[in-house]
Amino acid sequence: MTLDRAQREFLAESAEIVDHLSAGLAEIDRQRKSGPPSPAKTNEIFRYAHSLKGLAGMFGIDAMSRLAHQLETLFDGLRLGRVVLTDDTMELVYACTDLFARLLADLKDGRESDAATVAAITARLATASKPRAGAQSAQHGELRLAPEALAALTEYEEHRLAENLRLLVPVWRVHAPLALASFETELTQLNTVIAEVGEIITTLPSTDDTGKFIIFDIVFATSIAKEQIAMRVLPLGNYAVERVDGAPVLKRAAPSLPLNLANDDDIATLHQMSDTVRVDIRKLDELMGIVGELVLARGGLARVTNELKSEIGYQGLAVDLHRLVRTLERRIVDLQTAIMQVRMVPLGQVFERMARTIRRTATTLGKEVEFDVVGEETELDKLIVQELVDPLMHLARNAIDHGIETPELRVANGKSPAGRLRVVAFPRGNHVIIEVSDDGRGIDEVSVKRTALERGVVDEEHVGQLTRGEVWNLIFAPGFSTRKEVTETSGRGVGLDVVKTNVSKMSGLIDVESQPGRGTKFTITLPITLAIIQAVIIRCAARVYALPLASVLEIVEVQQADLRRIEGKEMLELRGQTLPVLRLDGLFHPGEGSLSQSVDGAVGFAAVVGLAQHRAALLIEDVLGQQDIVIKSLGAFLGRARGIAGATHLGDHETILVLDVGALVSERLISDDGRTRTVAA
Amino acid sequence: MHCNVHLPGGHALHAGASLGDTVHMSVAVAPPYALIVDDSASARAQAKNALEEAAASLGLKLVIDEAASGMEAVRALATNDVCLLVVDLHMPDMTGLEVLSFWRSRPRGEGREYRAVVVSSDVSPRDWERAQQQGARCFLDKPLSAEALATALAGFYASPVAAQTGGTP
């Protein structure tokens, strides 16, 4: 039986819900071993059953719709406390979930389903859903909540309120006016910190008079003290936290607007608000800048201490100073971490937007895509997350447009009709790695080469010598697009070079790997923040430079014997790999090639630096140390100096230049012969 | 039956025996904005088709937008003048009642009609009563059919008096 598109969509969405359902049930089964299962989970399962019923009804699959309806009824009873979850019921619910999976499989394969089993389980579920004797709908007492808030409570929410009050769990309300521009992120954060310590009962949005905010009243139950609640909520904003149950407490004028909107005559409110303030991200940047300066001052102090130690030995004042410097160091790190924490936002928001884009794109292009996300809780600097939206959307669209095949073609190639698009984010040291992979057709080497030749990205002479990795990297070249026609979704005349440029702007790297017929994986490596970076301080061509640690893969000792000339280009042989050699004097002082002759013959160092798949060896004379630095712009006149990212201070008032590895590597690779010659790792 | 009907967006509808054939646009205004809120993609797609069909059968022009969560709905309601809201009661982040309550708190344009339809495959009488208090005018079963929606829409725009005085759907 061939399925039409709507049926495939139904199957995919239903299968996803059944997966959630069985995961949720396993969780409930685990929880009930040590007490009553969490109401939130029970409600979640109720919703899954509800969605499944809706879907099955929509597609006219009556047996499944009835089964889901009974499961929904059972969980409605459970969540409203009318039914108790026994071992037998749990068994039954598991059997029901298995049956859903089997019904979906039957449907997919065009088999007739076993109607008797479905009827039997449906009937047993109906019996299990019978309310227990003495169960009554709960009534909650007086609550200090606005009538609008009470009116919008569903039966379930009302029941949860009553249950919490019955168990003497205090009920609270957070009143949060969130900026219209960004309320999704803020509300998610607020919900997260509250859900960690309590049960959220309702989130009621309302309109404020200025039109700049959306007011959210979050009502929740928790046993933790008010101070602890405030401490959790405080970092997110100055929101009034009030207990709404029990004896009335002295009502204080709750601030309902952030500081910048308060009237001058609103003095009482201003006093209340001195606990917390909403902060503009630019102010955080400023603060981070000051911490950066502190870091530098500490560097200077450490240097003076070391000099003192070498002069008078480790004794007397030198010991005291040494200890003080260490304490200062720790406090500065704490401060830096604290400020950084404020700037961090989870990637989940971006992934959600991605999911929407993917759905739309897939529908437009008539493809089926399953989207998987791992690591949505991974945090990154807010500014980086903002900048990441476009590149990720582009990669997603690109994967669906060029990577994932049509369902027909996929089936013909022995794949499942729905393509899989997977985004995985995880932290690694001071970096966050985001992988975007699909199981589509992969990158067609021949087609890439042909296009590269047509567009003059590479010439006839070199195209034959490119390795697979080098070919893949051609797709990042400006103006490259393997599609002949411009497609509506991802072919707006911009290619992956824009993605690469954007990622580089954030000091990130992008890599691509592909297996023809099996799929493509893009890997983006990003620093957690741009505010302060770690750098290696090096001496090279008689000058001191800072080399951002993020782009250094390793630093090795080199002998003259390791350097080779291949086709007139200087290359470094390293563990069987050949890397092009970068000499700063050659780049910064063309014509004075003799400046660093000292390296020749003598032992020096090479920093292996990388830009995506491009690697090069930067010859350096000495490694002086490692340090946190704050990059300062060179200003409008010098700002465009090639190979220089900016300047920074060392602790001893010395100003040094920070190398722009990305620019240096591309410069070297292009300057070779006026064509892109890439060298893969 | 012969009455003058105000369509959302200021279109005047002179309704005779049939609603469809006598549509008369008196003012050129942006078509009313409709929002479908449901966390299921299939359900949204289906509701959109049904709504398009229902609107077409009545000669109504609608701009139809979708929201996949309570938060998306709040964003859409805060940035557009949503005149027709089709909402499911059960969603992960907010309930349909909360979305309805927010929609009611929005400032409303004069002379415009605001209508909400609650779509759910199962709603307890108590929650349906609450939804009505929050301004829902009609309750439809899932799956949503174009015919049922068309009947509801015709009801909305044919009985402005009943709507203003809070009559039953």
Side-chain angles (χ1 to χ4, degrees):
Chain A
M1 162 185 173
T2 42
L3 299 169
D4 69 22
R5 186 190 169 114
Q7 282 170 314
R8 284 194 307 261
E9 256 164 36
F10 160 73
L11 281 176
E13 200 175 335
S14 307
E16 195 181 316
I17 296 174
V18 171
D19 282 351
H20 286 310
L21 194 62
S22 56
L25 286 174
E27 174 73 21
I28 282 204
D29 202 11
R30 212 170 41 72
Q31 288 178 351
R32 78 194 185 100
K33 305 239 156 67
S34 57
S38 98
K41 269 280 170 230
T42 314
N43 190 41
E44 203 178 295
I45 294 188
F46 164 79
R47 271 193 296 99
Y48 290 141
H50 174 81
S51 307
L52 211 50
K53 180 179 80 170
L55 272 174
M58 208 184 308
F59 288 89
I61 303 151
D62 295 338
M64 190 159 156
S65 175
R66 277 196 300 275
L67 186 65
H69 173 71
Q70 263 330 314
L71 186 67
E72 182 192 8
T73 310
L74 172 64
F75 270 87
D76 195 27
L78 284 168
R79 68 181 193 143
L80 291 172
R82 293 178 187 144
V83 178
V84 184
L85 187 59
T86 61
D87 288 351
D88 285 348
T89 316
M90 199 70 220
E91 280 297 308
L92 182 59
V93 167
Y94 274 133
C96 174
T97 315
D98 291 344
L99 190 53
F100 278 134
R102 210 152 62 226
L103 286 175
L104 288 178
D106 287 346
L107 218 53
K108 193 171 175 182
D109 302 339
R111 268 195 308 270
E112 199 63 38
S113 289
D114 178 8
T117 317
V118 181
I121 301 252
T122 309
R124 284 178 61 199
L125 280 172
T127 318
S129 309
K130 291 249 160 65
R132 65 193 156 107
Q136 51 185 344
S137 58
Q139 291 291 320
H140 60 80
E142 273 294 289
L143 284 174
R144 285 184 300 283
L145 284 175
E148 303 88 74
L150 290 169
L153 290 176
T154 60
E155 191 172 10
Y156 168 67
E157 288 168 336
E158 215 156 57
H159 167 73
R160 288 312 309 160
L161 257 184
E163 270 301 292
N164 277 294
L165 293 176
R166 189 174 67 80
L167 299 168
L168 302 175
V169 182
V171 176
W172 303 83
R173 185 193 67 159
V174 170
H175 182 77
L178 304 181
L180 183 57
S182 59
F183 72 86
E184 289 97 341
T185 324
E186 292 169 39
L187 181 62
T188 309
Q189 287 171 338
L190 209 49
N191 277 334
T192 310
V193 298
I194 295 172
E196 276 165 8
V197 292
E199 178 187 347
I200 295 177
I201 288 161
T202 177
T203 306
L204 189 72
S206 54
T207 306
D208 86 328
D209 299 334
T210 68
K212 288 177 187 152
F213 296 88
I214 291 179
I215 300 165
F216 287 91
D217 281 298
I218 305 174
V219 176
F220 60 99
T222 182
S223 307
I224 68 169
K226 179 169 184 177
E227 291 68 36
Q228 282 171 289
I229 302 174
M231 259 177 56
R232 300 190 73 84
V233 172
L234 211 74
L236 300 175
N238 172 37
Y239 309 129
V241 179
E242 253 186 301
R243 187 160 169 185
V244 291
D245 67 311
V249 282
L250 264 184
K251 207 168 163 75
R252 44 179 240 172
S256 58
L257 288 175
L259 195 55
N260 50 10
L261 283 179
N263 296 325
D264 281 348
D265 51 13
D266 228 344
I267 299 198
T269 318
L270 272 176
H271 273 300
Q272 291 299 337
M273 282 197 281
S274 55
D275 306 3
T276 40
V277 218
R278 288 164 74 96
V279 183
D280 188 315
I281 187 129
R282 275 165 301 194
K283 289 191 178 160
L284 283 179
D285 282 345
E286 228 168 86
L287 215 50
M288 206 57 166
I290 298 172
V291 174
E293 301 294 336
L294 264 178
V295 169
L296 297 180
R298 179 209 64 189
L301 207 53
R303 193 177 47 80
V304 172
T305 310
N306 281 335
E307 275 170 26
L308 187 66
K309 271 193 286 189
S310 61
E311 241 169 67
I312 65 168
Y314 192 57
Q315 52 157 336
L317 281 178
V319 178
D320 292 348
L321 197 56
H322 176 80
R323 283 195 188 135
L324 287 173
V325 169
R326 291 302 298 271
T327 313
L328 181 67
E329 220 168 74
R330 278 196 293 271
R331 294 292 162 268
I332 291 175
V333 171
D334 289 349
L335 185 60
Q336 197 178 319
T337 323
I339 297 174
M340 220 112 95
Q341 273 310 314
V342 180
R343 303 169 55 104
M344 292 296 173
V345 290
L347 278 168
Q349 285 287 321
V350 184
F351 293 165
E352 272 167 36
R353 285 185 59 182
M354 247 179 124
R356 296 295 305 282
T357 306
I358 288 167
R359 230 177 295 146
R360 249 197 313 271
T361 312
T363 315
T364 318
L365 294 173
K367 295 184 182 176
E368 286 179 46
V369 182
E370 281 172 25
F371 182 48
D372 269 355
V373 171
V374 179
E376 55 264 73
E377 71 289 345
T378 310
E379 291 189 325
L380 264 179
D381 193 304
K382 189 174 167 70
L383 291 181
I384 298 184
V385 171
Q386 280 170 4
E387 294 296 312
L388 202 56
V389 173
D390 286 344
L392 282 181
M393 297 292 170
H394 198 105
L395 286 182
R397 281 193 296 260
N398 194 69
I400 299 169
D401 193 3
H402 303 301
I404 290 170
E405 312 89 330
T406 56
E408 297 74 31
L409 191 60
R410 288 183 64 89
V411 171
N413 289 338
K415 297 182 179 181
S416 64
R420 180 166 286 259
L421 189 58
R422 201 177 153 84
V423 178
V424 181
F426 55 93
R428 184 180 286 166
N430 276 333
H431 287 91
V432 163
I433 295 177
I434 302 170
E435 296 172 350
V436 180
S437 54
D438 65 66
D439 67 347
R441 58 168 72 93
I443 300 176
D444 178 17
E445 272 182 66
V446 179
S447 153
V448 168
K449 281 186 190 168
R450 197 179 306 126
T451 315
L453 276 173
E454 277 168 20
R455 308 268 154 100
V457 176
V458 69
D459 61 16
E460 292 276 359
E461 187 190 335
H462 289 109
V463 75
Q465 304 165 12
L466 298 175
T467 66
R468 273 169 70 184
E470 290 168 348
V471 173
W472 294 334
N473 267 283
L474 289 174
I475 63 172
F476 291 120
F480 187 93
S481 172
T482 42
R483 269 285 166 93
K484 296 279 187 301
E485 75 277 24
V486 170
T487 63
E488 191 196 335
T489 30
S490 55
R492 295 193 194 88
V494 294
L496 287 166
D497 59 315
V498 178
V499 173
K500 185 175 153 181
T501 312
N502 287 345
V503 171
S504 307
K505 253 190 246 160
M506 298 179 268
S507 300
L509 300 176
I510 183 162
D511 256 319
V512 60
E513 274 172 65
S514 183
Q515 271 185 294
R518 304 283 293 280
T520 308
K521 178 162 93 178
F522 288 92
T523 307
I524 301 176
T525 309
L526 289 167
I528 286 178
T529 182
L530 297 176
I532 291 191
I533 63 162
Q534 288 191 303
V536 196
I537 311 300
I538 56 161
R539 194 165 59 230
C540 183
R543 279 189 184 84
V544 176
Y545 295 97
L547 184 61
L549 195 59
S551 42
V552 178
L553 302 168
E554 61 178 324
I555 294 181
V556 292
E557 258 189 21
V558 288
Q559 310 281 346
Q560 182 55 40
D562 302 325
L563 299 173
R564 297 266 171 81
R565 285 209 163 259
I566 298 171
E567 292 175 22
K569 316 286 180 326
E570 199 170 22
M571 296 286 185
L572 171 71
E573 191 117 335
L574 181 66
R575 291 190 295 270
Q577 275 187 25
T578 316
L579 300 169
V581 168
L582 271 171
R583 281 177 185 269
L584 285 192
D585 46 359
L587 284 162
F588 292 160
H589 315 279
E592 300 174 46
S594 61
L595 267 177
S596 70
Q597 282 304 311
S598 57
V599 171
D600 293 0
V603 181
F605 296 93
V608 179
V609 290
L611 176 77
Q613 294 220 325
H614 311 290
R615 313 271 185 253
L618 176 70
L619 285 195
I620 52 188
E621 283 157 31
D622 206 357
V623 179
L624 303 176
Q626 186 182 326
Q627 183 169 328
D628 288 343
I629 61 163
V630 179
I631 302 185
K632 308 266 176 185
S633 155
L634 286 179
F637 290 117
L638 298 170
R640 273 173 290 170
R642 285 175 310 174
I644 301 295
T648 190
H649 296 290
L650 285 184
D652 44 10
H653 301 288
E654 194 185 339
T655 302
I656 60 169
L657 294 174
V658 183
L659 298 177
D660 179 351
V661 172
L664 285 175
V665 175
S666 354
E667 181 102 338
R668 156 73 216 246
L669 297 171
I670 290 161
S671 73
D672 267 3
D673 46 19
R675 311 239 177 248
T676 308
R677 281 278 288 125
T678 56
V679 173
Chain B
M1 183 181 95
H2 213 81
C3 62
N4 280 316
V5 175
H6 296 285
L7 281 181
H11 307 307
L13 178 68
H14 183 75
S18 144
L19 271 168
D21 54 6
T22 51
V23 176
H24 162 67
M25 301 287 174
S26 59
V27 207
V29 217
Y33 203 96
L35 181 69
I36 296 167
V37 188
D38 200 307
D39 57 323
S40 156
S42 303
R44 283 200 306 279
Q46 209 245 351
K48 190 174 180 191
N49 283 340
L51 189 53
E52 274 167 354
E53 212 176 293
S57 76
L58 297 175
L60 251 170
K61 272 212 168 59
L62 291 174
V63 174
I64 304 176
D65 198 6
E66 302 171 35
S69 67
M71 269 199 258
E72 282 184 23
V74 167
R75 158 87 46 216
L77 291 169
T79 38
N80 301 290
D81 187 21
V82 174
C83 289
L84 180 64
L85 180 65
V86 177
V87 63
D88 188 1
L89 278 191
H90 305 287
M91 277 176 297
D93 60 338
M94 268 173 227
T95 67
L97 289 186
E98 286 154 359
V99 172
L100 280 168
S101 165
F102 178 70
W103 178 62
R104 258 163 67 93
S105 80
R106 302 291 310 159
R108 299 194 157 184
E110 214 155 293
R112 289 207 141 198
E113 305 284 349
Y114 292 84
R115 297 288 188 267
V117 179
V118 169
V119 186
S120 212
S121 33
D122 198 13
V123 169
S124 72
R126 181 222 167 271
D127 282 354
W128 166 230
E129 191 188 304
R130 287 291 167 96
Q132 275 178 295
Q133 287 167 9
Q134 296 298 333
R137 307 232 48 87
C138 175
F139 166 64
L140 293 179
D141 246 330
K142 265 188 184 176
L144 201 53
S145 75
E147 295 75 41
L149 256 181
T151 313
L153 291 188
F156 287 172
Y157 303 122
S159 57
V161 180
Q164 271 150 28
T165 54
T168 46

